[in-house]
Amino acid sequence: MLLSPKYSFLFVHIAKTGGTSVRAALERLRWRDPWYYPMFLCSRLSHLSGHRIASKLPRHAKVVAAKELLPKEYFDTLFKFAFVRNPWDLQVSSFHHIRRERPHYLGGHQNFEDFLRWKLDPERPYQYHVDTSITPQTDYLIDLSGKIVVDYIGRYERLHADFVEICTKIGIPPPGLPHARQAKDRQKDYRSYYRDATAELVADYFARDIEMLGYGFDPPD
């Protein structure tokens, strides 16, 4: 999550949706923000305490955390946005990310289908780096009553165009988006990773995301 008091925006960072690139592009604005140094100090104090003093919004915090912590009149003035991604594509991206950067979290499952079935097993013990990417994306967008409270939902599938529109709404010239954490060993079409059974497994698990965000296994023409 990235909060900018100067530019009055709140970026809700959902894992594996291009958020690292968006964050990198926008973080440079923080140097122009008069609140940067107090926020940086709070972040360091939180880190030094083992995050036991609740003085920062975590990187992948849900929007409800900001809504509950910030004064209502201030929260309401912020331009709140997030990016989402096709759930089938997101799971492929997550697999390659974990295999590349945290292979010890694969649970011994070296191919995508085995890993996916293990990952979505409700009996599996919780692991942050695995479970962040199977938390429903809509959970990040809603308040305690289930209402979507972000103002703009961008799509990973049109990341650059939507980012330009977001920057226009914020009132800044759109900075370039760096391509962070690109997987060089994945096949381009996520559909090639699935059989009917595993595609249906994702459809069932992420049914709410698919319905609310309008995704399907096959991308729109």
Side-chain angles (χ1 to χ4, degrees):
M1 186 170 284
L2 187 63
L3 171 66
S4 173
K6 178 177 176 64
Y7 295 96
S8 296
F9 71 77
L10 180 72
F11 169 49
V12 181
H13 184 175
I14 302 173
K16 308 310 301 171
T17 62
T20 299
S21 296
V22 172
R23 189 183 187 93
L26 293 177
E27 273 192 317
R28 67 195 70 173
L29 298 175
R30 302 174 80 180
W31 294 100
R32 308 175 199 171
D33 198 317
W35 287 98
Y36 171 76
Y37 291 104
M39 293 170 71
F40 175 78
L41 178 60
C42 287
S43 176
R44 293 306 302 162
L45 288 172
S46 179
H47 178 76
L48 291 172
S49 73
H51 302 294
R52 289 189 291 268
I53 60 174
S55 61
K56 66 172 289 187
L57 293 166
R59 182 183 187 90
H60 293 301
K62 300 176 177 67
V63 72
V64 68
K67 184 176 182 183
E68 294 298 306
L69 287 170
L70 297 174
K72 181 182 185 304
E73 60 276 11
Y74 178 62
F75 178 83
D76 290 344
T77 66
L78 295 171
F79 176 67
K80 300 167 283 293
F81 67 95
F83 278 86
V84 297
R85 186 173 188 170
N86 183 300
W88 290 275
D89 187 30
L90 190 150
Q91 294 313 307
V92 172
S93 176
S94 171
F95 169 69
H96 282 281
H97 169 76
I98 292 173
R99 190 170 71 171
R100 181 179 68 251
E101 299 190 14
R102 295 181 173 87
H104 52 290
Y105 284 115
L106 288 173
H109 305 283
Q110 296 300 316
N111 69 71
F112 174 72
E113 180 171 341
D114 289 346
F115 177 67
L116 181 66
R117 291 184 180 279
W118 172 78
K119 182 182 186 181
L120 298 182
D121 182 353
E123 301 300 319
R124 176 183 54 78
Y126 177 85
Q127 297 177 76
Y128 173 78
H129 293 291
V130 175
D131 285 81
T132 301
S133 62
I134 62 172
T135 300
Q137 295 174 76
T138 45
D139 279 6
Y140 288 87
L141 312 175
I142 59 177
D143 63 11
L144 293 176
S145 67
K147 176 185 175 184
I148 291 179
V149 292
V150 297
D151 303 300
Y152 188 98
I153 300 174
R155 305 277 174 163
Y156 175 85
E157 296 78 19
R158 51 175 190 256
L159 179 67
H160 289 271
D162 284 357
F163 182 65
V164 168
E165 186 172 349
I166 286 165
C167 291
T168 300
K169 291 179 180 294
I170 293 171
I172 62 169
L177 271 178
H179 197 153
R181 300 182 178 180
Q182 183 177 12
K184 295 180 170 55
D185 57 343
R186 68 161 284 177
Q187 298 172 45
K188 188 172 183 180
D189 190 340
Y190 62 84
R191 293 172 297 183
S192 65
Y193 287 80
Y194 290 92
R195 295 189 299 164
D196 289 347
T198 45
E200 190 63 27
L201 189 65
V202 170
D204 290 341
Y205 194 94
F206 298 101
R208 187 179 69 179
D209 282 359
I210 292 164
E211 179 182 358
M212 292 182 66
L213 302 175
Y215 280 112
F217 182 68
D218 296 311
D221 294 332

